[in-house]
Amino acid sequence: MWSILISTIMTNSFVNFIIYHPQEIVIRKAMPIVKQTIKSMPNLDIMFGKCFNIADLGCSSGTNTLLVASIIMDIVHDVCKQNNLKVPQFQVCLNDLCSNDFNAIFKLLPEFHAKLRKEKGENFGPCFVSAVPGSFYDRLFHDETLHLVHSSYSVHWLSKVPEGLDNNKANIYMARTSPQNVLEAYQKQFYSDFTKFLKLRSKELVSGGRMVLIFHGRSIVDPTSGETCRLLELLAQSLVDLLKEGLVQGSDINSFNLPYYSPCEDEVRNVIHIEGSFFLDTMNVFQVNWDPYDMDYTNMNDSKEHSQIHGKNAAQVMRAGMEPLLTSHFGSSIIDPLFIRYEKHLTEHLAYKKTRYFNVLISLVKK
């Protein structure tokens, strides 16, 4: 069932897991590293050449899909001006699974090109945009054709649900009550998938090509830490609430596990080192509140009213991405009652602890 679900519903990026505003926050936080990455490329006159090839993996089809390409082209334009180089043409390859709504992206292109001409002039570029449907756990591009690979909020999604999770009762991910074999199965699947991801991209990037990845992670070794798992534990708890009310079956909860993994920094470093195709140039970490519209990162004692607002916003963020998965597995009738209970649990949690997503940002150089 999960293979069908992943191929028909889940996008590589699952960008709606974090809706428009926080996704833009994450993208913009990464851009200084992208700029540094582009400026550090060797032999810029050769690297840019006639055409600079960019791939955005897990692009989805939302408002931010073309934002990454636009900012990268701005950076290249500025770097060329600083180094007295001719601005290259651009090939932007937008990748996601075949179920992604690429038509929605194509409808944005006339306005996108018009804005480029207005801001940069008729002689800028040109920029060619193409769709590349398929999983980034498979080959996507010709050998040594890409100069820069970007991916935001994608790599933490696994190629499949790990095997051997039958005893992960009443959980939908790794949790404090999960048996040790569940934790090991998730780690094994991440190691396998991330290794494959790096190996495939190394074939597609030119020598000296760069890759910038942003994904969920965790700050400590314990994979069941609150910063990583509490958000999903509360969702599982909401499903158990429905079970007690007779609205879902226990067997359905026990068979539902997410194809997701948030690695710690050492795990990321180890896979990169062992796989061996890339140098780790930069690793940064940053945090974003569960309620992405709550920009106050210092106040830990919000009022009851504010906690309710934060709980509601955090629940809406999760619903945006989780609803298709939940509907496919449990049916649509449980969605509204589930997220009413989830909002209540989130509100209670955020009333005493302002928890955040831990994000990992890495820049890699192909050897």
Side-chain angles (χ1 to χ4, degrees):
M1 189 279 294
W2 268 104
S3 62
I4 298 173
L5 181 61
I6 291 170
S7 64
T8 58
I9 294 179
M10 193 182 87
T11 64
N12 278 330
S13 66
F14 234 86
V15 68
N16 285 328
F17 185 77
I18 299 296
I19 56 179
Y20 171 71
H21 180 58
Q23 178 70 3
E24 182 173 347
I25 291 173
V26 169
I27 289 171
R28 293 194 180 279
K29 279 183 175 292
M31 284 306 120
I33 299 300
V34 175
K35 184 173 184 178
Q36 174 186 322
T37 296
I38 292 173
K39 290 179 68 174
S40 67
M41 285 181 166
N43 305 316
L44 287 176
D45 54 337
I46 298 174
M47 188 66 74
F48 290 158
K50 292 184 177 180
C51 187
F52 190 67
N53 293 314
I54 306 161
D56 189 15
L57 306 184
C59 67
S60 192
S61 57
T63 311
N64 295 306
T65 299
L66 295 171
L67 175 64
V68 171
S70 179
I71 296 176
I72 290 174
M73 286 189 289
D74 285 344
I75 293 171
V76 172
H77 181 259
D78 291 343
V79 170
C80 286
K81 286 179 63 178
Q82 294 169 8
N83 292 274
N84 197 28
L85 297 172
K86 181 180 178 182
V87 179
Q89 298 179 14
F90 296 93
Q91 175 69 55
V92 178
C93 304
L94 302 174
N95 157 257
D96 217 318
L97 294 183
C98 299
S99 55
N100 188 52
D101 187 359
F102 288 104
N103 283 332
I105 302 173
F106 296 150
K107 290 175 182 178
L108 298 174
L109 290 179
E111 180 180 353
F112 174 71
H113 288 302
K115 184 179 180 182
L116 281 178
R117 289 193 295 270
K118 181 179 179 180
E119 294 180 352
K120 299 292 192 300
E122 294 290 336
N123 294 325
F124 177 80
C127 170
F128 304 98
V129 179
S130 62
V132 185
S135 169
F136 53 52
Y137 293 117
D138 294 318
R139 279 294 300 269
L140 294 168
F141 306 98
H142 296 298
D143 288 352
E144 299 185 344
T145 53
L146 300 177
H147 299 98
L148 177 66
V149 170
H150 172 274
S151 184
S152 178
Y153 273 21
S154 300
V155 180
H156 50 238
W157 291 103
L158 303 172
S159 64
K160 63 178 182 178
V161 176
E163 297 177 358
L165 305 185
D166 295 341
N167 60 341
N168 196 30
K169 306 296 185 182
N171 296 313
I172 62 175
Y173 181 54
M174 296 183 296
R176 288 168 292 182
T177 58
S178 295
Q180 182 63 31
N181 72 285
V182 171
L183 312 184
E184 293 171 355
Y186 268 104
Q187 184 183 57
K188 180 180 178 182
Q189 189 64 49
F190 168 75
Y191 270 64
S192 173
D193 282 348
F194 194 40
T195 297
K196 187 174 184 181
F197 178 89
L198 294 174
K199 193 177 299 292
L200 294 172
R201 302 293 83 79
S202 71
K203 295 178 180 179
E204 297 164 348
L205 279 159
V206 301
S207 178
R210 285 354 191 219
M211 187 155 57
V212 177
L213 309 175
I214 314 110
F215 47 89
H216 287 163
R218 63 181 192 272
S219 62
I220 59 179
V221 174
D222 181 7
T224 65
S225 62
E227 68 178 17
T228 305
C229 298
R230 191 57 181 154
L231 190 69
L232 295 172
E233 284 181 337
L234 293 175
L235 183 58
Q237 186 176 338
S238 303
L239 285 166
V240 172
D241 291 343
L242 297 186
L243 171 64
K244 294 176 181 178
E245 298 171 35
L247 297 178
V248 299
Q249 300 293 319
S251 58
D252 287 338
I253 297 177
N254 291 336
S255 60
F256 183 78
N257 290 282
L258 291 172
Y260 167 88
Y261 188 78
S262 52
C264 68
E265 296 171 68
D266 282 346
E267 288 177 309
V268 176
R269 287 191 178 93
N270 287 342
V271 176
I272 294 169
H273 174 72
I274 293 171
E275 193 281 325
S277 298
F278 292 89
F279 294 110
L280 177 59
D281 183 48
T282 304
M283 176 179 282
N284 287 353
V285 297
F286 60 94
Q287 294 177 299
V288 177
N289 281 335
W290 279 5
D291 173 8
Y293 302 101
D294 175 16
M295 303 306 292
D296 183 354
Y297 289 86
T298 58
N299 178 18
M300 297 300 171
N301 297 295
D302 284 322
S303 66
K304 181 178 179 180
E305 180 182 0
H306 281 154
S307 294
Q308 289 175 335
I309 293 171
H310 298 329
K312 184 179 182 65
N313 288 342
Q316 288 176 339
V317 167
M318 285 291 286
R319 180 167 180 168
M322 294 297 294
E323 185 169 345
L325 286 165
L326 292 164
T327 298
S328 176
H329 191 82
F330 296 98
S332 60
S333 63
I334 69 132
I335 299 300
D336 286 340
L338 173 64
F339 279 93
I340 289 172
R341 287 151 185 79
Y342 190 43
E343 180 181 325
K344 178 176 179 292
H345 288 308
L346 287 170
T347 297
E348 292 171 351
H349 175 86
L350 292 172
Y352 73 88
K353 186 173 184 180
K354 187 176 287 188
T355 316
R356 300 168 185 163
Y357 297 102
F358 186 84
N359 301 284
V360 179
L361 166 60
I362 59 175
S363 173
L364 302 170
V365 182
K366 180 183 171 181
K367 293 181 180 179

mmCIF file of all heavy atoms in Angstrom, residues 324-363:
data_model
loop_
_atom_site.group_PDB
_atom_site.id
_atom_site.type_symbol
_atom_site.label_atom_id
_atom_site.label_comp_id
_atom_site.label_asym_id
_atom_site.label_seq_id
_atom_site.Cartn_x
_atom_site.Cartn_y
_atom_site.Cartn_z
ATOM 1 N N PRO A 324 -3.247 14.283 2.913
ATOM 2 C CA PRO A 324 -3.337 13.253 1.872
ATOM 3 C C PRO A 324 -2.917 11.867 2.354
ATOM 4 O O PRO A 324 -3.563 10.868 2.013
ATOM 5 C CB PRO A 324 -2.389 13.774 0.779
ATOM 6 C CG PRO A 324 -2.309 15.240 1.009
ATOM 7 C CD PRO A 324 -2.390 15.406 2.487
ATOM 8 N N LEU A 325 -1.863 11.794 3.154
ATOM 9 C CA LEU A 325 -1.417 10.515 3.687
ATOM 10 C C LEU A 325 -2.460 9.912 4.624
ATOM 11 O O LEU A 325 -2.778 8.725 4.535
ATOM 12 C CB LEU A 325 -0.106 10.714 4.449
ATOM 13 C CG LEU A 325 1.150 10.955 3.606
ATOM 14 C CD1 LEU A 325 2.266 11.484 4.492
ATOM 15 C CD2 LEU A 325 1.578 9.691 2.908
ATOM 16 N N LEU A 326 -2.976 10.730 5.504
ATOM 17 C CA LEU A 326 -3.962 10.254 6.472
ATOM 18 C C LEU A 326 -5.258 9.832 5.793
ATOM 19 O O LEU A 326 -5.851 8.806 6.129
ATOM 20 C CB LEU A 326 -4.238 11.350 7.507
ATOM 21 C CG LEU A 326 -3.072 11.675 8.441
ATOM 22 C CD1 LEU A 326 -3.306 13.013 9.134
ATOM 23 C CD2 LEU A 326 -2.877 10.573 9.471
ATOM 24 N N THR A 327 -5.685 10.620 4.815
ATOM 25 C CA THR A 327 -6.922 10.293 4.101
ATOM 26 C C THR A 327 -6.794 8.980 3.353
ATOM 27 O O THR A 327 -7.709 8.149 3.350
ATOM 28 C CB THR A 327 -7.280 11.420 3.118
ATOM 29 O OG1 THR A 327 -7.509 12.631 3.841
ATOM 30 C CG2 THR A 327 -8.538 11.088 2.318
ATOM 31 N N SER A 328 -5.643 8.770 2.715
ATOM 32 C CA SER A 328 -5.441 7.539 1.954
ATOM 33 C C SER A 328 -5.492 6.313 2.854
ATOM 34 O O SER A 328 -5.981 5.254 2.457
ATOM 35 C CB SER A 328 -4.102 7.602 1.219
ATOM 36 O OG SER A 328 -3.836 6.391 0.551
ATOM 37 N N HIS A 329 -4.994 6.468 4.075
ATOM 38 C CA HIS A 329 -4.905 5.310 4.980
ATOM 39 C C HIS A 329 -6.157 5.126 5.838
ATOM 40 O O HIS A 329 -6.631 4.001 6.015
ATOM 41 C CB HIS A 329 -3.686 5.463 5.884
ATOM 42 C CG HIS A 329 -3.351 4.237 6.670
ATOM 43 N ND1 HIS A 329 -2.636 3.180 6.142
ATOM 44 C CD2 HIS A 329 -3.645 3.874 7.945
ATOM 45 C CE1 HIS A 329 -2.493 2.231 7.050
ATOM 46 N NE2 HIS A 329 -3.101 2.625 8.163
ATOM 47 N N PHE A 330 -6.695 6.236 6.362
ATOM 48 C CA PHE A 330 -7.803 6.148 7.313
ATOM 49 C C PHE A 330 -9.154 6.565 6.722
ATOM 50 O O PHE A 330 -10.194 6.293 7.329
ATOM 51 C CB PHE A 330 -7.528 7.049 8.523
ATOM 52 C CG PHE A 330 -6.337 6.638 9.342
ATOM 53 C CD1 PHE A 330 -5.106 7.260 9.168
ATOM 54 C CD2 PHE A 330 -6.431 5.633 10.286
ATOM 55 C CE1 PHE A 330 -4.008 6.903 9.921
ATOM 56 C CE2 PHE A 330 -5.334 5.265 11.052
ATOM 57 C CZ PHE A 330 -4.115 5.890 10.873
ATOM 58 N N GLY A 331 -9.132 7.246 5.566
ATOM 59 C CA GLY A 331 -10.370 7.789 5.014
ATOM 60 C C GLY A 331 -10.548 9.250 5.400
ATOM 61 O O GLY A 331 -9.963 9.731 6.386
ATOM 62 N N SER A 332 -11.360 9.961 4.656
ATOM 63 C CA SER A 332 -11.503 11.410 4.844
ATOM 64 C C SER A 332 -12.359 11.784 6.048
ATOM 65 O O SER A 332 -12.264 12.903 6.562
ATOM 66 C CB SER A 332 -12.104 12.039 3.584
ATOM 67 O OG SER A 332 -13.380 11.473 3.315
ATOM 68 N N SER A 333 -13.188 10.863 6.533
ATOM 69 C CA SER A 333 -14.140 11.212 7.584
ATOM 70 C C SER A 333 -13.471 11.542 8.910
ATOM 71 O O SER A 333 -14.065 12.221 9.759
ATOM 72 C CB SER A 333 -15.139 10.064 7.787
ATOM 73 O OG SER A 333 -14.479 8.891 8.227
ATOM 74 N N ILE A 334 -12.246 11.083 9.117
ATOM 75 C CA ILE A 334 -11.588 11.312 10.405
ATOM 76 C C ILE A 334 -10.785 12.603 10.438
ATOM 77 O O ILE A 334 -10.316 13.016 11.512
ATOM 78 C CB ILE A 334 -10.653 10.140 10.772
ATOM 79 C CG1 ILE A 334 -9.442 10.116 9.817
ATOM 80 C CG2 ILE A 334 -11.374 8.823 10.769
ATOM 81 C CD1 ILE A 334 -8.125 9.980 10.489
ATOM 82 N N ILE A 335 -10.585 13.259 9.308
ATOM 83 C CA ILE A 335 -9.636 14.369 9.242
ATOM 84 C C ILE A 335 -10.031 15.524 10.154
ATOM 85 O O ILE A 335 -9.222 15.999 10.967
ATOM 86 C CB ILE A 335 -9.465 14.849 7.783
ATOM 87 C CG1 ILE A 335 -8.912 13.724 6.911
ATOM 88 C CG2 ILE A 335 -8.531 16.064 7.739
ATOM 89 C CD1 ILE A 335 -7.563 13.190 7.353
ATOM 90 N N ASP A 336 -11.245 16.017 10.040
ATOM 91 C CA ASP A 336 -11.650 17.151 10.878
ATOM 92 C C ASP A 336 -11.590 16.812 12.368
ATOM 93 O O ASP A 336 -10.978 17.568 13.142
ATOM 94 C CB ASP A 336 -13.051 17.628 10.483
ATOM 95 C CG ASP A 336 -13.069 18.392 9.169
ATOM 96 O OD1 ASP A 336 -11.996 18.875 8.759
ATOM 97 O OD2 ASP A 336 -14.142 18.500 8.560
ATOM 98 N N PRO A 337 -12.195 15.712 12.812
ATOM 99 C CA PRO A 337 -12.094 15.402 14.248
ATOM 100 C C PRO A 337 -10.665 15.139 14.704
ATOM 101 O O PRO A 337 -10.301 15.485 15.836
ATOM 102 C CB PRO A 337 -12.961 14.155 14.412
ATOM 103 C CG PRO A 337 -13.184 13.607 13.053
ATOM 104 C CD PRO A 337 -13.111 14.775 12.129
ATOM 105 N N LEU A 338 -9.842 14.559 13.845
ATOM 106 C CA LEU A 338 -8.451 14.308 14.208
ATOM 107 C C LEU A 338 -7.717 15.609 14.489
ATOM 108 O O LEU A 338 -7.029 15.737 15.510
ATOM 109 C CB LEU A 338 -7.736 13.541 13.088
ATOM 110 C CG LEU A 338 -6.226 13.357 13.263
ATOM 111 C CD1 LEU A 338 -5.920 12.505 14.488
ATOM 112 C CD2 LEU A 338 -5.616 12.732 12.001
ATOM 113 N N PHE A 339 -7.860 16.594 13.610
ATOM 114 C CA PHE A 339 -7.083 17.823 13.775
ATOM 115 C C PHE A 339 -7.679 18.751 14.825
ATOM 116 O O PHE A 339 -6.972 19.622 15.347
ATOM 117 C CB PHE A 339 -6.895 18.514 12.421
ATOM 118 C CG PHE A 339 -5.779 17.891 11.622
ATOM 119 C CD1 PHE A 339 -6.036 16.881 10.706
ATOM 120 C CD2 PHE A 339 -4.464 18.271 11.830
ATOM 121 C CE1 PHE A 339 -5.002 16.273 9.999
ATOM 122 C CE2 PHE A 339 -3.425 17.680 11.141
ATOM 123 C CZ PHE A 339 -3.692 16.676 10.221
ATOM 124 N N ILE A 340 -8.938 18.572 15.176
ATOM 125 C CA ILE A 340 -9.482 19.276 16.345
ATOM 126 C C ILE A 340 -8.765 18.803 17.603
ATOM 127 O O ILE A 340 -8.346 19.604 18.454
ATOM 128 C CB ILE A 340 -11.000 19.034 16.451
ATOM 129 C CG1 ILE A 340 -11.736 19.793 15.334
ATOM 130 C CG2 ILE A 340 -11.520 19.488 17.825
ATOM 131 C CD1 ILE A 340 -13.207 19.473 15.240
ATOM 132 N N ARG A 341 -8.587 17.506 17.728
ATOM 133 C CA ARG A 341 -7.888 16.941 18.883
ATOM 134 C C ARG A 341 -6.399 17.257 18.833
ATOM 135 O O ARG A 341 -5.774 17.513 19.879
ATOM 136 C CB ARG A 341 -8.128 15.424 18.947
ATOM 137 C CG ARG A 341 -9.559 15.090 19.388
ATOM 138 C CD ARG A 341 -10.054 13.780 18.817
ATOM 139 N NE ARG A 341 -11.461 13.545 19.161
ATOM 140 C CZ ARG A 341 -12.480 14.119 18.525
ATOM 141 N NH1 ARG A 341 -12.272 14.968 17.534
ATOM 142 N NH2 ARG A 341 -13.719 13.850 18.900
ATOM 143 N N TYR A 342 -5.838 17.241 17.644
ATOM 144 C CA TYR A 342 -4.418 17.550 17.489
ATOM 145 C C TYR A 342 -4.136 18.999 17.896
ATOM 146 O O TYR A 342 -3.149 19.279 18.594
ATOM 147 C CB TYR A 342 -4.011 17.303 16.046
ATOM 148 C CG TYR A 342 -2.526 17.358 15.777
ATOM 149 C CD1 TYR A 342 -1.609 16.764 16.633
ATOM 150 C CD2 TYR A 342 -2.044 17.989 14.631
ATOM 151 C CE1 TYR A 342 -0.246 16.808 16.367
ATOM 152 C CE2 TYR A 342 -0.692 18.024 14.351
ATOM 153 C CZ TYR A 342 0.212 17.432 15.227
ATOM 154 O OH TYR A 342 1.557 17.473 14.959
ATOM 155 N N GLU A 343 -4.992 19.908 17.471
ATOM 156 C CA GLU A 343 -4.829 21.311 17.850
ATOM 157 C C GLU A 343 -4.844 21.465 19.368
ATOM 158 O O GLU A 343 -4.060 22.239 19.934
ATOM 159 C CB GLU A 343 -5.946 22.143 17.222
ATOM 160 C CG GLU A 343 -5.872 23.629 17.552
ATOM 161 C CD GLU A 343 -7.015 24.407 16.930
ATOM 162 O OE1 GLU A 343 -7.447 24.059 15.809
ATOM 163 O OE2 GLU A 343 -7.491 25.371 17.590
ATOM 164 N N LYS A 344 -5.724 20.728 20.040
ATOM 165 C CA LYS A 344 -5.800 20.786 21.505
ATOM 166 C C LYS A 344 -4.497 20.295 22.126
ATOM 167 O O LYS A 344 -3.961 20.929 23.049
ATOM 168 C CB LYS A 344 -6.977 19.931 21.976
ATOM 169 C CG LYS A 344 -7.148 19.863 23.495
ATOM 170 C CD LYS A 344 -8.391 19.070 23.842
ATOM 171 C CE LYS A 344 -8.576 18.954 25.358
ATOM 172 N NZ LYS A 344 -7.525 18.104 25.965
ATOM 173 N N HIS A 345 -3.966 19.183 21.644
ATOM 174 C CA HIS A 345 -2.709 18.656 22.186
ATOM 175 C C HIS A 345 -1.549 19.615 21.933
ATOM 176 O O HIS A 345 -0.683 19.807 22.805
ATOM 177 C CB HIS A 345 -2.406 17.295 21.570
ATOM 178 C CG HIS A 345 -3.299 16.193 22.052
ATOM 179 N ND1 HIS A 345 -3.501 15.927 23.383
ATOM 180 C CD2 HIS A 345 -4.050 15.277 21.372
ATOM 181 C CE1 HIS A 345 -4.332 14.911 23.525
ATOM 182 N NE2 HIS A 345 -4.686 14.497 22.307
ATOM 183 N N LEU A 346 -1.500 20.203 20.754
ATOM 184 C CA LEU A 346 -0.430 21.147 20.442
ATOM 185 C C LEU A 346 -0.518 22.386 21.323
ATOM 186 O O LEU A 346 0.496 22.900 21.798
ATOM 187 C CB LEU A 346 -0.506 21.558 18.962
ATOM 188 C CG LEU A 346 -0.078 20.501 17.954
ATOM 189 C CD1 LEU A 346 -0.435 20.949 16.539
ATOM 190 C CD2 LEU A 346 1.415 20.228 18.037
ATOM 191 N N THR A 347 -1.734 22.866 21.541
ATOM 192 C CA THR A 347 -1.928 24.035 22.398
ATOM 193 C C THR A 347 -1.427 23.757 23.812
ATOM 194 O O THR A 347 -0.723 24.582 24.413
ATOM 195 C CB THR A 347 -3.412 24.430 22.440
ATOM 196 O OG1 THR A 347 -3.831 24.821 21.125
ATOM 197 C CG2 THR A 347 -3.653 25.579 23.407
ATOM 198 N N GLU A 348 -1.760 22.596 24.343
ATOM 199 C CA GLU A 348 -1.318 22.224 25.692
ATOM 200 C C GLU A 348 0.207 22.123 25.761
ATOM 201 O O GLU A 348 0.822 22.539 26.746
ATOM 202 C CB GLU A 348 -1.961 20.900 26.100
ATOM 203 C CG GLU A 348 -3.469 21.001 26.311
ATOM 204 C CD GLU A 348 -4.132 19.649 26.510
ATOM 205 O OE1 GLU A 348 -3.425 18.612 26.306
ATOM 206 O OE2 GLU A 348 -5.321 19.607 26.847
ATOM 207 N N HIS A 349 0.814 21.570 24.705
ATOM 208 C CA HIS A 349 2.272 21.438 24.686
ATOM 209 C C HIS A 349 2.943 22.802 24.602
ATOM 210 O O HIS A 349 3.884 23.102 25.364
ATOM 211 C CB HIS A 349 2.710 20.574 23.508
ATOM 212 C CG HIS A 349 4.199 20.484 23.346
ATOM 213 N ND1 HIS A 349 4.976 19.561 24.002
ATOM 214 C CD2 HIS A 349 5.061 21.248 22.610
ATOM 215 C CE1 HIS A 349 6.250 19.739 23.681
ATOM 216 N NE2 HIS A 349 6.330 20.750 22.836
ATOM 217 N N LEU A 350 2.472 23.648 23.672
ATOM 218 C CA LEU A 350 3.114 24.936 23.445
ATOM 219 C C LEU A 350 2.861 25.920 24.578
ATOM 220 O O LEU A 350 3.521 26.964 24.644
ATOM 221 C CB LEU A 350 2.648 25.518 22.108
ATOM 222 C CG LEU A 350 3.124 24.739 20.875
ATOM 223 C CD1 LEU A 350 2.448 25.267 19.609
ATOM 224 C CD2 LEU A 350 4.638 24.818 20.728
ATOM 225 N N ALA A 351 1.924 25.597 25.450
ATOM 226 C CA ALA A 351 1.667 26.467 26.599
ATOM 227 C C ALA A 351 2.819 26.446 27.595
ATOM 228 O O ALA A 351 3.011 27.397 28.352
ATOM 229 C CB ALA A 351 0.370 26.047 27.287
ATOM 230 N N TYR A 352 3.597 25.349 27.586
ATOM 231 C CA TYR A 352 4.715 25.275 28.537
ATOM 232 C C TYR A 352 6.071 25.124 27.854
ATOM 233 O O TYR A 352 7.114 25.284 28.490
ATOM 234 C CB TYR A 352 4.504 24.120 29.527
ATOM 235 C CG TYR A 352 4.695 22.739 28.955
ATOM 236 C CD1 TYR A 352 5.948 22.136 28.940
ATOM 237 C CD2 TYR A 352 3.621 22.023 28.427
ATOM 238 C CE1 TYR A 352 6.137 20.874 28.418
ATOM 239 C CE2 TYR A 352 3.803 20.757 27.904
ATOM 240 C CZ TYR A 352 5.057 20.186 27.904
ATOM 241 O OH TYR A 352 5.241 18.934 27.373
ATOM 242 N N LYS A 353 6.078 24.835 26.548
ATOM 243 C CA LYS A 353 7.366 24.681 25.876
ATOM 244 C C LYS A 353 7.241 25.083 24.410
ATOM 245 O O LYS A 353 6.490 24.483 23.649
ATOM 246 C CB LYS A 353 7.864 23.236 25.970
ATOM 247 C CG LYS A 353 9.269 23.041 25.407
ATOM 248 C CD LYS A 353 9.781 21.635 25.670
ATOM 249 C CE LYS A 353 11.216 21.482 25.200
ATOM 250 N NZ LYS A 353 11.734 20.124 25.448
ATOM 251 N N LYS A 354 7.987 26.083 24.023
ATOM 252 C CA LYS A 354 7.969 26.533 22.634
ATOM 253 C C LYS A 354 8.981 25.699 21.841
ATOM 254 O O LYS A 354 10.184 25.966 21.836
ATOM 255 C CB LYS A 354 8.304 28.023 22.538
ATOM 256 C CG LYS A 354 8.144 28.606 21.150
ATOM 257 C CD LYS A 354 8.385 30.107 21.140
ATOM 258 C CE LYS A 354 7.250 30.858 21.787
ATOM 259 N NZ LYS A 354 7.388 32.325 21.616
ATOM 260 N N THR A 355 8.479 24.670 21.192
ATOM 261 C CA THR A 355 9.347 23.721 20.499
ATOM 262 C C THR A 355 9.543 24.144 19.048
ATOM 263 O O THR A 355 8.677 24.763 18.446
ATOM 264 C CB THR A 355 8.737 22.306 20.556
ATOM 265 O OG1 THR A 355 8.259 22.061 21.876
ATOM 266 C CG2 THR A 355 9.775 21.253 20.213
ATOM 267 N N ARG A 356 10.679 23.772 18.486
ATOM 268 C CA ARG A 356 11.043 24.225 17.145
ATOM 269 C C ARG A 356 11.511 23.067 16.271
ATOM 270 O O ARG A 356 11.973 22.049 16.759
ATOM 271 C CB ARG A 356 12.164 25.272 17.235
ATOM 272 C CG ARG A 356 11.778 26.506 18.033
ATOM 273 C CD ARG A 356 12.986 27.367 18.354
ATOM 274 N NE ARG A 356 12.594 28.483 19.210
ATOM 275 C CZ ARG A 356 13.442 29.208 19.916
ATOM 276 N NH1 ARG A 356 14.733 28.931 19.888
ATOM 277 N NH2 ARG A 356 13.012 30.194 20.665
ATOM 278 N N TYR A 357 11.376 23.281 14.978
ATOM 279 C CA TYR A 357 11.996 22.380 14.013
ATOM 280 C C TYR A 357 13.492 22.662 13.995
ATOM 281 O O TYR A 357 13.921 23.811 13.939
ATOM 282 C CB TYR A 357 11.454 22.616 12.603
ATOM 283 C CG TYR A 357 9.994 22.347 12.418
ATOM 284 C CD1 TYR A 357 9.087 23.397 12.365
ATOM 285 C CD2 TYR A 357 9.510 21.048 12.248
ATOM 286 C CE1 TYR A 357 7.732 23.163 12.163
ATOM 287 C CE2 TYR A 357 8.163 20.808 12.052
ATOM 288 C CZ TYR A 357 7.278 21.872 12.013
ATOM 289 O OH TYR A 357 5.946 21.640 11.812
ATOM 290 N N PHE A 358 14.288 21.612 14.016
ATOM 291 C CA PHE A 358 15.742 21.732 13.885
ATOM 292 C C PHE A 358 16.090 21.439 12.435
ATOM 293 O O PHE A 358 15.741 20.380 11.898
ATOM 294 C CB PHE A 358 16.432 20.735 14.818
ATOM 295 C CG PHE A 358 17.921 20.869 14.872
ATOM 296 C CD1 PHE A 358 18.518 21.789 15.715
ATOM 297 C CD2 PHE A 358 18.735 20.076 14.087
ATOM 298 C CE1 PHE A 358 19.897 21.912 15.784
ATOM 299 C CE2 PHE A 358 20.108 20.185 14.130
ATOM 300 C CZ PHE A 358 20.693 21.110 14.989
ATOM 301 N N ASN A 359 16.733 22.379 11.764
ATOM 302 C CA ASN A 359 17.036 22.262 10.346
ATOM 303 C C ASN A 359 18.536 22.178 10.101
ATOM 304 O O ASN A 359 19.316 22.875 10.759
ATOM 305 C CB ASN A 359 16.461 23.464 9.587
ATOM 306 C CG ASN A 359 14.968 23.582 9.751
ATOM 307 O OD1 ASN A 359 14.204 22.851 9.150
ATOM 308 N ND2 ASN A 359 14.538 24.540 10.577
ATOM 309 N N VAL A 360 18.909 21.353 9.160
ATOM 310 C CA VAL A 360 20.308 21.187 8.758
ATOM 311 C C VAL A 360 20.497 21.717 7.349
ATOM 312 O O VAL A 360 19.715 21.375 6.452
ATOM 313 C CB VAL A 360 20.744 19.708 8.830
ATOM 314 C CG1 VAL A 360 22.204 19.560 8.392
ATOM 315 C CG2 VAL A 360 20.553 19.157 10.236
ATOM 316 N N LEU A 361 21.501 22.531 7.167
ATOM 317 C CA LEU A 361 21.826 23.102 5.860
ATOM 318 C C LEU A 361 23.265 22.732 5.526
ATOM 319 O O LEU A 361 24.186 23.051 6.278
ATOM 320 C CB LEU A 361 21.669 24.631 5.906
ATOM 321 C CG LEU A 361 22.260 25.462 4.783
ATOM 322 C CD1 LEU A 361 21.650 25.090 3.431
ATOM 323 C CD2 LEU A 361 22.055 26.945 5.067
ATOM 324 N N ILE A 362 23.434 22.018 4.410
ATOM 325 C CA ILE A 362 24.794 21.616 4.029
ATOM 326 C C ILE A 362 25.101 22.049 2.594
ATOM 327 O O ILE A 362 24.202 22.107 1.748
ATOM 328 C CB ILE A 362 25.014 20.087 4.159
ATOM 329 C CG1 ILE A 362 24.029 19.307 3.276
ATOM 330 C CG2 ILE A 362 24.912 19.653 5.607
ATOM 331 C CD1 ILE A 362 24.287 17.816 3.265
ATOM 332 N N SER A 363 26.357 22.350 2.374
ATOM 333 C CA SER A 363 26.865 22.639 1.033
ATOM 334 C C SER A 363 27.943 21.615 0.717
ATOM 335 O O SER A 363 28.880 21.421 1.495
ATOM 336 C CB SER A 363 27.450 24.059 0.977
ATOM 337 O OG SER A 363 28.073 24.286 -0.266
#
